[in-house]
Amino acid sequence: MSEQTERSFQKQEAVFLNAKTVSKKNNRWYKDIGLGFKTPTEAIEGTYIDKKCPFTGNVSIRGRILSGVVVSTKMKRTIIIRRDYLHFIPKYQRYEKRHKNLAAHLSPAFIGVEAGDSVTVGQCRPLSKTVRFNVIKHQKKVVKGSKQFQKF
Amino acid sequence: MGISRDSRHKRSHTGAKRAQYRKKRKFELGRQAANTKLGAKRIHEVRVRGGNKKFRAMRLDTGTFSWGSEAISRKTRVVAVVYNASNNELVRTNTLVKGAIVQIDATPFRQWYENHYAQILGKKKRLTEEEAAESAANKQRSRHLQRTVAARKGNVEQALDEQFVSGRLYAIISSRPGQSGRCDGYILEGKELDFYVRKIRSKK
């Protein structure tokens, strides 16, 4: 209903809204991104408009599929992911910890993504200066002792 | 001119300032914007990468606009630019760009509608020129044609019908005049029309 927050009319390019014979009520276009990833029900039933969403927008997921832990969700529709890895030093035959941050686009189909959750991202075409990845799966952080009191 | 589209002059993702290690390349070039205005047609041809052509429209006055729900397109005159989501300056200077809301001349669409459905559009006009309107909608037709026309049901939404009274329809430009040299688009209907009419009214 109130997804028209911008100064131009937000709509899906693939959907024609003004046909004379009104077909099924919510005329929404969505796709299966492939590679065995399930498209979330919020993407199919929701009303958001996001041209950079992998399920309801104009981007294709191809190339690398990576995963990481969410560090920050302060940006509009995009998150920072931290990917930890071990780098081997041959001289000492030991490993050292390193990490890289990655900016990924977060579709409104994924609700309740917080810092600490793990996320799977797929490579897509450049969406902005630093964003080349799009979130395609979300697993909430498992809290041990979930019978304990948590913030609601 | 010196417009380049490289990212080597920008800071990297980490914030580091990148040192310049090579000059600007031809494949990174950018050109001046067209800023297509309303006026007698003036189009400059540009030779682009690969030997191909781009048609930079400097001034345009007509375009092909589609009436989506009726699935027809007609060439019409563009009258004025009425709204631009990005920049109010472009509205003031009547600059034609993709996504700009314009007013177009309604006569080709009214003529087609009255011919196709034998119904008069823009009811208020009936009071003033009754006989002139009769001729378009109720011209002589053969009996076979009369039957086919009667079978067609034409109903236009209220908001669109009102625009036909003034002879100006709201449309949005969906082509890129500075790239293709054309100002084509579609007539606004339904939710989109309500949205933009509200925006235009709130600005006035």
Side-chain angles (χ1 to χ4, degrees), chain A residues 7 9 11 18 20 129, chain B residues 11 83 117 186 192 196:
Chain A
R7 293 193 58 191
F9 186 73
K11 62 172 188 174
N18 302 314
K20 293 211 293 195
K129 178 176 170 210
Chain B
R11 287 187 181 257
Y83 180 76
Y117 290 109
Y186 59 89
E192 258 189 287
Y196 284 116

Side-chain angles (χ1 to χ4, degrees), chain B residues 94-107:
Chain B
N94 270 342
T95 305
L96 299 171
V97 283
K98 178 179 172 186
I101 308 298
V102 290
Q103 276 192 319
I104 60 173
D105 184 21
T107 46

Side-chain angles (χ1 to χ4, degrees), chain A residues 1 4-11 16-20 80 101-103 129-130, chain B residues 11-13 68-70 83-85 88 117 153 186 189-192 195-196 199:
Chain A
M1 284 301 111
Q4 301 294 341
T5 49
E6 306 292 332
R7 293 193 58 191
S8 58
F9 186 73
Q10 303 294 104
K11 62 172 188 174
F16 180 58
L17 303 163
N18 302 314
K20 293 211 293 195
I80 303 284
N101 282 359
L102 194 70
K129 178 176 170 210
T130 55
Chain B
R11 287 187 181 257
S12 74
H13 183 27
S69 57
E70 302 290 344
Y83 180 76
N84 186 308
N88 291 328
Y117 290 109
K153 291 283 187 307
Y186 59 89
E189 294 179 275
K191 285 208 178 122
E192 258 189 287
F195 178 87
Y196 284 116
K199 289 283 182 199

Side-chain angles (χ1 to χ4, degrees), chain B residues 112-151:
Chain B
W112 173 84
Y113 188 89
E114 291 180 349
N115 207 355
H116 194 252
Y117 290 109
Q119 288 170 26
I120 303 168
L121 270 180
K123 293 175 202 147
K124 282 180 195 168
K125 254 202 171 172
R126 201 194 292 158
L127 298 165
T128 54
E129 302 172 82
E130 203 149 19
E131 266 140 36
E134 298 260 65
S135 60
N138 308 326
K139 66 169 193 208
Q140 285 282 36
R141 292 187 175 96
S142 69
R143 269 173 293 150
H144 179 250
L145 193 53
Q146 271 176 350
R147 263 183 281 132
T148 49
V149 166

Side-chain angles (χ1 to χ4, degrees), chain B residues 12-180:
Chain B
S12 74
H13 183 27
T14 58
K17 196 170 176 72
R18 281 188 269 228
Q20 186 192 358
Y21 73 95
R22 69 183 198 199
K23 295 183 169 196
K24 293 184 189 177
R25 296 285 192 261
K26 162 95 171 30
F27 55 76
E28 301 171 328
L29 71 72
R31 294 185 184 87
Q32 287 274 12
N35 293 329
T36 311
K37 302 281 189 282
L38 274 177
K41 179 164 76 176
R42 184 187 288 190
I43 298 177
H44 293 174
E45 208 176 276
V46 183
R47 182 205 179 270
V48 295
R49 190 165 176 83
N52 306 311
K53 292 185 189 175
K54 277 191 185 178
F55 301 96
R56 194 125 300 163
M58 308 306 283
R59 295 187 195 162
L60 284 176
D61 52 2
T62 57
T64 316
F65 288 86
S66 321
W67 189 353
S69 57
E70 302 290 344
I72 53 142
S73 305
R74 289 289 179 272
K75 182 168 158 181
T76 11
R77 209 167 38 92
V78 175
V79 176
V81 176
V82 153
Y83 180 76
N84 186 308
S86 319
N87 192 350
N88 291 328
E89 177 91 26
L90 299 174
V91 178
R92 230 172 344 115
T93 52
N94 270 342
T95 305
L96 299 171
V97 283
K98 178 179 172 186
I101 308 298
V102 290
Q103 276 192 319
I104 60 173
D105 184 21
T107 46
F109 296 101
R110 136 172 288 131
Q111 280 168 3
W112 173 84
Y113 188 89
E114 291 180 349
N115 207 355
H116 194 252
Y117 290 109
Q119 288 170 26
I120 303 168
L121 270 180
K123 293 175 202 147
K124 282 180 195 168
K125 254 202 171 172
R126 201 194 292 158
L127 298 165
T128 54
E129 302 172 82
E130 203 149 19
E131 266 140 36
E134 298 260 65
S135 60
N138 308 326
K139 66 169 193 208
Q140 285 282 36
R141 292 187 175 96
S142 69
R143 269 173 293 150
H144 179 250
L145 193 53
Q146 271 176 350
R147 263 183 281 132
T148 49
V149 166
R152 294 174 189 154
K153 291 283 187 307
N155 50 337
V156 187
E157 60 163 334
Q158 173 75 347
L160 207 53
D161 199 49
E162 285 166 1
Q163 287 177 46
F164 274 103
V165 174
S166 58
R168 303 249 180 281
L169 295 172
Y170 284 130
I172 184 171
I173 300 176
S174 57
S175 69
R176 301 172 71 187
Q179 306 283 318
S180 61

